Amino acid sequence: MALRLLVLLSLLIVTPAIAAGPMHGIAMHGAPKYSAGFEHTDYVNPAAPKGGRLVLSRAGSFDSLNPFIIRGNRADGVSLVFDTLMTRGLDEPFTLYGLVAESIEVPDDRSWVIFRLRPEARFHDGKPVTVDDVIFSLETLRDHGRPNHHTYYSQVTRIDRVGPRGVKFTFGASADRELPLILGLLPVLPRHWFDNRQFDRPSLDVIPGTGPYRVESVSPGRSITYRRDPGYWGRDLPINRGRFNFDEVRYDYFRDDDMALEAFKAGSVDFRAESSPRKWASAYDSKALRDGRIVKRVLPNGLPAGLNGLVFNTRRPMFRDIRVRAALVEAFNFEWLNQKLFYGAYSRTRGVFDNSELSAPLTPGKDELALAAELGASSHPALRGPLTPPPVSGPDDGGRVNLAKAKTAFDALGYKVVNGVLTGQDGMPFTFEIMLDDPANLRVAQQYARDLERLGIHVDARLVDSAQYQERMTTYDFDMAVYFWGQSLSPGNEQAFYWGVAAADSPGTRNYMGVKDPLIDRLVQRITAARTRAGLVTATRLLDRVLRAGVYVIPLYHLKGDRVAYWTRIAMPAVTPLTGYAPETWWSTGK
């Protein structure tokens, strides 16, 4: 009896991970919002009419129709040509539903994934999508695609065919629970078309995709037009109902954004998203706006605002002391900048995940404290008290009160003003450079420099060309710089690339501040291994708390919502998705 029990136990130990069976969709945490057999999503108008044209604008140019490689400037909208194995539900943090793949299958530990292809899926040249195309797509993008493709797809250690329409990807030990979803977003490329063509060369050749639109015409660098495919194989899928309604989508290119704005006001362009507070406040006035043919709106979105800030490079000696960094944060007068330069448009950024449930509250919750204790980090400096919110300057004091606080902090550290120059105990003047590549940030940096001059600190706000900026950021050869870290509702391994210990000493990462905190690495591991949404939220909030408490940036500002303007000849659904406005859900009103 005992021997039989041992045999049974040994069989249990070696039994491979068992999957729940094929599924129509998969959520990063929990279950998909829409169950199998759903009719359409909540953020579309399922009765939206087909027809009409949508014209959008871009500043710049393009020279390639291949969006999967580094080289070249890809044309906007080309993603309309290519479908992926699965597609995102736009009103959920990270959920995928079957597209080219009719089902997905994963075990509980997500150590592998099986996709089964729809038999009706076709490329634009009429050829069916096969398992060979999927394998070709992964291997080609892994070896010749963008760096993120290489990073993710290299974690596939084995590929197996499962019947005539199934493909199984097995992952290495270092893979995380997000990887099956990342593979679900694999674009499907036609193997037969690339037989005698070089994949990684920019080209205006039209690649036959599987998507709802085909490239109809190209005026290199000036315009590209996409035509809706009336025979699109996926037009009746529930996830596609109410989407892709325009017969024609065109992108017109302009020399700069000012010209694009004038084209919009003249009626040559249908829609425009506006990021400039100045233009939003004063540049749209026109007869069409006054008589209602142009609509200006702020559309909500539930995405984290991301972190936009002046980054301290803590590799530099002058920024190693957190008390120095905190004093410099105190001296930044956001209120004056917002009113005088930005028409009061912005909200002050506090941390990495503002505008979402992932943002840390000022005082840690019981869940954060419990996680910190579990990680042996209860005494971490970030947990010694509430977070300090960014300082607020009085409306009429010109920042004098906060500058006085900054001066007191420098005095306590032994700094003295000698001949008008703030000088450390080592006799060295406190001076640094703010490196910029965007002229829009120059006014902010120059005003900050003028404020710091009142403390005896000389700051050189320096605008450099994009090549020099990229090279110096890559090698961390800067004192302070402006940078924006975008974030999603489902953070993952990219957080290690942004703030991880190993990233601090590796050129080319986004750990520009040089933070080296082992707790951050452990929190990133918890984020990627989280089995529940609650677990992800707790770990992410604690990560946000650690970064904010470390004072690695001077947080700048963000807009709440998306500022858009459009002609009434286009219409939008009543519901804006969680991830923000979605042009594929709009339609023509015929006006």
Side-chain angles (χ1 to χ4, degrees):
M1 182 69 179
L3 179 60
R4 182 182 178 187
L5 180 60
L6 287 173
V7 171
L8 289 172
L9 287 172
S10 67
L11 289 172
L12 288 173
I13 292 172
V14 300
T15 297
I18 299 175
M23 302 176 293
H24 74 292
I26 182 172
M28 183 64 198
H29 302 102
K33 173 181 177 179
Y34 301 103
S35 59
F38 72 99
E39 294 184 0
H40 59 80
T41 61
D42 293 340
Y43 51 84
V44 301
N45 172 9
K50 304 293 185 183
R53 179 177 68 186
L54 175 66
V55 181
L56 303 171
S57 65
R58 292 294 183 269
S61 183
F62 69 92
D63 60 11
S64 178
L65 299 185
N66 185 341
F68 309 112
I69 59 177
I70 296 177
R71 297 167 60 194
N73 296 315
R74 64 177 178 177
D76 271 280
V78 73
S79 59
L80 292 169
V81 175
F82 301 97
D83 273 338
T84 47
L85 290 173
M86 307 186 77
T87 190
R88 296 187 77 137
L90 301 183
D91 52 355
E92 302 167 78
F94 194 9
T95 298
L96 303 183
Y97 296 91
L99 192 55
V100 173
E102 65 182 1
S103 69
I104 181 174
E105 186 173 353
V106 294
D108 182 64
D109 65 0
R110 296 190 178 181
S111 57
W112 50 261
V113 61
I114 294 174
F115 298 102
R116 286 184 171 80
L117 306 182
R118 296 186 191 273
E120 67 268 30
R122 293 287 189 279
F123 290 105
H124 292 152
D125 59 6
K127 294 187 179 297
V129 177
T130 69
V131 170
D132 286 338
D133 294 310
V134 175
I135 295 174
F136 167 81
S137 300
L138 182 134
E139 292 178 340
T140 300
L141 293 171
R142 178 195 64 197
D143 298 339
H144 305 290
R146 293 180 171 274
N148 59 317
H149 292 147
H150 174 78
T151 299
Y152 288 121
Y153 301 157
S154 292
Q155 297 181 64
V156 175
T157 59
R158 178 172 171 174
I159 303 175
D160 296 295
R161 299 170 185 274
V162 182
R165 293 187 289 111
V167 58
K168 178 180 180 180
F169 298 116
T170 302
F171 311 133
S174 62
D176 58 62
R177 296 181 59 77
E178 185 182 41
L179 197 55
L181 283 81
I182 298 297
L183 267 291
L185 295 174
L186 175 73
V188 182
L189 306 175
R191 176 182 175 180
H192 62 275
W193 192 84
F194 283 103
D195 278 345
N196 298 309
R197 291 178 172 89
Q198 184 178 343
F199 176 78
D200 57 358
R201 178 179 61 85
S203 170
L204 292 174
D205 292 342
V206 177
I207 305 170
T210 59
Y213 287 83
R214 301 173 182 234
V215 176
E216 180 175 67
S217 62
V218 178
S219 177
R222 299 178 61 186
S223 179
I224 182 167
T225 300
Y226 303 92
R227 172 69 57 178
R228 187 167 61 86
D229 182 1
Y232 172 46
W233 65 271
R235 63 186 179 275
D236 295 324
L237 294 178
I239 194 64
N240 282 339
R241 287 192 186 125
R243 301 172 72 205
F244 312 118
N245 301 308
F246 293 100
D247 282 346
E248 180 183 309
V249 177
R250 191 179 80 210
Y251 286 82
D252 289 340
Y253 283 74
F254 298 88
R255 184 180 62 201
D256 55 38
D257 188 65
D258 289 338
M259 293 184 65
L261 173 57
E262 292 306 312
F264 169 77
K265 291 195 295 183
S268 301
V269 173
D270 296 317
F271 170 89
R272 178 178 168 83
E274 185 56 74
S275 60
S276 166
R278 177 186 62 80
K279 291 177 181 176
W280 183 256
S282 60
Y284 283 82
D285 186 41
S286 64
K287 185 176 184 299
L289 180 66
R290 291 190 294 271
D291 65 23
R293 286 176 294 147
I294 289 178
V295 176
K296 286 175 67 182
R297 294 176 62 189
V298 178
L299 298 176
N301 75 65
L303 293 175
L307 177 58
N308 184 29
L310 287 160
V311 185
F312 295 108
N313 184 354
T314 63
R315 303 170 186 85
R316 296 288 207 248
M318 80 280 280
F319 294 143
R320 287 177 184 162
D321 192 327
I322 189 175
R323 295 170 296 178
V324 169
R325 302 197 298 270
L328 291 170
V329 171
E330 193 74 50
F332 186 82
N333 191 343
F334 163 74
E335 285 70 29
W336 187 93
L337 290 167
N338 196 33
Q339 291 302 320
K340 301 297 184 181
L341 301 184
F342 303 130
Y343 300 84
Y346 287 115
S347 298
R348 184 72 189 270
T349 297
R350 298 174 302 164
V352 185
F353 298 97
D354 283 17
N355 196 41
S356 77
E357 64 176 342
L358 303 175
S359 178
L362 292 181
T363 302
K366 293 180 179 179
D367 54 345
E368 287 184 68
L369 295 174
L371 176 58
E374 187 178 338
L375 296 175
S378 294
S379 61
H380 191 280
L383 295 166
R384 291 176 184 168
L387 289 169
T388 302
V392 177
S393 297
D396 302 315
D397 71 2
R400 286 186 297 273
V401 173
N402 287 349
L403 284 173
K405 292 179 181 178
K407 181 182 183 305
T408 299
F410 278 113
D411 289 345
L413 293 171
Y415 285 87
K416 297 183 182 299
V417 177
V418 179
N419 297 323
V421 178
L422 189 69
T423 305
Q425 295 182 15
D426 57 2
M428 297 297 294
F430 194 96
T431 180
F432 61 92
E433 176 189 89
I434 303 177
M435 184 178 69
L436 310 159
D437 72 334
D438 185 350
N441 291 321
L442 185 59
R443 291 188 301 167
V444 173
Q446 288 174 335
Q447 181 58 43
Y448 185 43
R450 284 191 287 270
D451 288 339
L452 291 180
E453 197 72 45
R454 296 160 65 181
L455 297 176
I457 300 172
H458 175 71
V459 176
D460 180 15
R462 185 181 178 197
L463 188 66
V464 301
D465 62 58
S466 59
Q468 182 181 165
Y469 179 88
Q470 186 59 51
E471 173 62 24
R472 291 180 60 186
M473 291 294 282
T474 299
T475 57
Y476 313 123
D477 181 22
F478 66 93
D479 299 331
M480 179 181 282
V482 176
Y483 191 76
F484 173 72
W485 288 267
Q487 293 290 351
S488 75
L489 288 166
S490 184
N493 261 335
E494 75 284 347
Q495 303 302 313
F497 190 67
Y498 295 170
W499 339 104
V501 171
D505 294 323
S506 301
T509 74
R510 294 182 189 170
N511 188 346
Y512 295 119
M513 64 274 286
V515 55
K516 290 184 177 181
D517 188 333
L519 177 57
I520 289 178
D521 284 359
R522 298 200 294 273
L523 288 170
V524 172
Q525 291 171 359
R526 285 303 181 102
I527 288 170
T528 58
R531 294 285 188 115
T532 66
R533 181 70 185 173
L536 174 83
V537 169
T538 298
T540 306
R541 285 179 177 175
L542 188 50
L543 171 65
D544 187 35
R545 182 174 307 282
V546 170
L547 289 168
R548 288 163 64 178
V551 195
Y552 299 109
V553 303
I554 300 174
L556 293 179
Y557 35 74
H558 62 272
L559 293 171
K560 288 190 174 180
D562 297 308
R563 297 185 168 194
V564 303
Y566 56 92
W567 288 78
T568 54
R569 53 181 174 259
I570 66 173
M572 304 176 183
V575 176
T576 300
L578 179 70
T579 54
Y581 65 85
E584 70 268 26
T585 67
W586 306 344
W587 64 92
S588 172
T589 64
K591 294 182 180 179

